[in-house]
Amino acid sequence: MEYLRAACAALVAVVFAVSSVSKLRDFRGFARSVPALVPMPAYAVLPVSVAVVGAEAGAAVLVVVPATATAGFLLASLLLLAFAAAIGTALRRGRPAACRCFGAADTPVGPRHLARNTLLLCFAVLGALAPGGLPSVAGAAVAVAAGGVAAVLVIAMDDIAVVFARSS
């Protein structure tokens, strides 16, 4: 089970690290997109945007430190629940809101983003529940590599969806 925890930690760490860094690279664009996704007063936009980026970076760091991994998985789970709720609300409202999850893309949120966050939530919960321990170096390397590959697929999800949409 320590291999499952290592794979989940790699997945969550890479996804949240890339997400927070990409938001920082175009922080103004990210902050402008927040009220379209979650309506809020103008004075709340900056603190909410900073809190999201900080919490994502915090989750990425916490999950890779054995002593704080469970807290990191719990923080990631809370973030993913909040993101799923925001996406669900935006979908119910029927107004397009850009998914600025991994950069400056203007892809509107859709059911696949909700599914992605739900799947990530499952892995964050699995990581929190899986017992820690000291896996063998080789086993840990394979688990971390598997988590990293899964993270790349999650991050590239919108691009992959475009490729498959064009081919059909």
Side-chain angles (χ1 to χ4, degrees):
M1 290 302 264
E2 63 269 7
Y3 300 112
L4 175 63
R5 188 173 177 111
C8 290
L11 171 61
V12 169
V14 171
V15 165
F16 278 100
V18 170
S19 182
S20 63
V21 168
S22 67
K23 286 176 177 79
L24 284 174
R25 289 180 65 197
D26 182 20
F27 185 76
R28 287 183 182 174
F30 168 66
R32 278 192 307 272
S33 74
V34 169
L37 189 60
V38 181
M40 65 183 66
Y43 66 83
V45 172
L46 182 61
V48 167
S49 300
V50 169
V52 167
V53 173
E56 286 183 337
V61 171
L62 289 171
V63 296
V64 298
V65 177
T68 61
T70 300
F73 284 122
L74 292 175
L75 176 58
S77 297
L78 291 173
L79 283 166
L80 290 162
L81 283 169
F83 296 160
I87 291 168
T89 301
L91 292 174
R92 275 194 308 278
R93 280 194 335 257
R95 284 194 270 149
C99 176
R100 303 287 300 233
C101 308
F102 298 107
D106 288 326
T107 305
V109 294
R112 73 173 175 259
H113 298 98
L114 196 55
R116 176 200 58 208
N117 286 352
T118 302
L119 185 63
L120 284 170
L121 174 62
C122 291
F123 282 107
V125 170
L126 274 174
L129 296 176
L134 294 174
S136 70
V137 173
V142 170
V144 167
V149 168
V152 169
L153 292 173
V154 166
I155 293 164
M157 180 193 76
D158 282 335
D159 296 326
I160 293 168
V162 167
V163 169
F164 283 105
R166 286 184 184 158
S167 66
S168 34

